[in-house]
Amino acid sequence: MASRAKATILDIAREAGVSKSTVSLVLQGSGLIRPETATKVRKAIEDVGYVYNRGAANLRKAHSNVIGMVINDLTNPFFAELAVGMERVFQAAGIVPFIANTAENPVRQEEVLKSLMEQGVAGLIVSPARGTTPGAFRRIEAAGVPVVFAMRRLPESRIPAIAPDNHRGAFLATQHLIAKGHRRLAFFGGSSDLVVYHDRLGGFLEACETHGIPAADRTIVEGETSRKGGMACLETALASPESPTAALCFNDAVAFGVMLALRKRGLEAGTDFAVVGFDDVAEAEHYIPALTSVAVDTAGLGERAAHVMLKMIQSRTTRAEDHIGAVNLAVRESCGPDRNARGAGMGDAA
């Protein structure tokens, strides 16, 4: 009996013909392991006489009241508002949130995630940096640590994501511009290596198709998702012979940059060029002119991400359903009046 009491995870792994990490995940009740594999591991546990000391396991997770919030760009007010929503829920639950800014750098992100894992975090909410590879979270998943993606998801990933309905939001915004009478439209900002870019661009293109805007009258300019990026996008678009008269911007930061660039040219959003943002950050309502933007309930999405994370930790699971948040168009002054009677009668989405 004494020898059986000293059985280790390695003994179970040998008996079941699996890796040590697979055995650990089964012991933790992880949902990542196939049922037939879990059954084989549980039989091996009985055969070798292993006793799982959950108290010792909990002691090894001494920092289990810490949750990492890994954000791609805290200089963007949208992500700051998102983080505040998360933090509000965690503080109320007695959880210590640790926030880190990766500045859209996947190498920095990898360092932050490694450090947080070493600190024994109970879970991670991540808005992945640009250029993050699908395999970047494989080790964390294997360790059984719950992860939730906020705002951004990775292709082919099983990690649950909390995000707004990006496609629908872009569709509504573009339809609004068309209903105002604009026929030469632009999509500014973002890059093709982001899933969210394809979601928002897809909504823009679908609205153009639905309302008969030909491909020749659509201008798509990739760029940084910042004010600087927005300024560069506008300059590029206005340099073309058939320049657009209205733009849906990847986010509000890009929209603010577009409006600044217009002003530098002696033009004004709403009067000379229509601008719609995406996210509806607090500044949008108070900008001059006030920015029309796709409202996504930023703080609410942050709160939802935090609640999902708490439930995953309490349920000892790494699985959860994706959540797609509702969107609506907050119509303000940056699109100006209708350009013609035909546009006014097209069924404005606002």
Side-chain angles (χ1 to χ4, degrees), residues 283-298:
E283 188 183 353
E285 186 180 357
H286 306 293
Y287 210 78
I288 299 176
L291 176 65
T292 294
S293 184
V294 178
V296 303
D297 185 17
T298 315

Side-chain angles (χ1 to χ4, degrees), residues 38-230:
T39 300
K40 187 165 62 172
V41 170
R42 279 193 286 269
K43 184 177 184 304
I45 289 169
E46 287 182 22
D47 290 346
V48 302
Y50 179 82
V51 178
Y52 182 45
N53 187 336
R54 190 170 293 280
N58 287 338
L59 282 173
R60 285 195 294 273
K61 293 183 178 178
H63 298 280
S64 61
N65 70 325
V66 176
I67 288 176
M69 294 164 25
V70 183
I71 307 298
N72 58 296
D73 182 12
L74 279 175
T75 65
N76 182 337
F78 170 80
F79 287 103
E81 290 175 26
L82 185 79
V84 167
M86 296 180 205
E87 191 173 39
R88 189 180 299 132
V89 172
F90 290 140
Q91 293 285 7
I95 296 286
V96 180
F98 181 94
I99 192 164
N101 179 33
T102 61
E104 295 287 21
N105 184 333
V107 175
R108 167 68 180 151
Q109 177 178 271
E110 187 179 348
E111 292 167 354
V112 166
L113 291 172
K114 183 172 181 288
S115 176
L116 288 170
M117 289 292 288
E118 288 169 357
Q119 295 300 317
V121 289
L124 293 161
I125 298 181
V126 185
S127 185
R130 274 185 63 186
T132 300
T133 60
F137 293 87
R138 205 160 285 146
R139 187 173 60 87
I140 296 170
E141 288 184 272
V145 174
V147 182
V148 171
F149 285 153
M151 299 311 300
R152 293 179 176 178
R153 56 193 169 87
L154 297 181
E156 311 302 320
S157 175
R158 295 179 299 179
I159 292 172
I162 311 296
D165 193 337
N166 289 302
H167 186 97
R168 176 166 171 75
F171 181 91
L172 290 176
T174 308
Q175 186 168 271
H176 178 69
L177 291 172
I178 296 168
K180 288 280 188 183
H182 293 279
R183 307 300 295 174
R184 296 200 309 276
L185 305 175
F187 184 92
F188 287 159
S191 55
S192 56
D193 58 351
L194 290 174
V195 174
V196 63
Y197 170 83
H198 293 285
D199 291 343
R200 293 181 182 180
L201 178 61
F204 169 82
L205 294 174
E206 186 188 337
C208 287
E209 292 285 347
T210 301
H211 294 291
I213 305 296
D217 290 334
R218 308 169 201 165
T219 302
I220 299 165
V221 186
E222 291 189 30
E224 292 178 29
T225 56
S226 61
R227 281 173 166 80
K228 181 182 173 186

Side-chain angles (χ1 to χ4, degrees), residues 298-330:
T298 315
L301 285 172
E303 289 171 6
R304 173 62 73 113
H307 282 301
V308 168
M309 174 54 66
L310 291 176
K311 191 172 181 181
M312 289 168 74
I313 291 170
Q314 287 157 6
S315 304
R316 298 182 182 277
T317 182
T318 56
R319 293 294 184 88
E321 293 295 317
D322 289 348
H323 171 75
I324 305 300
V327 296
N328 63 78
L329 192 63

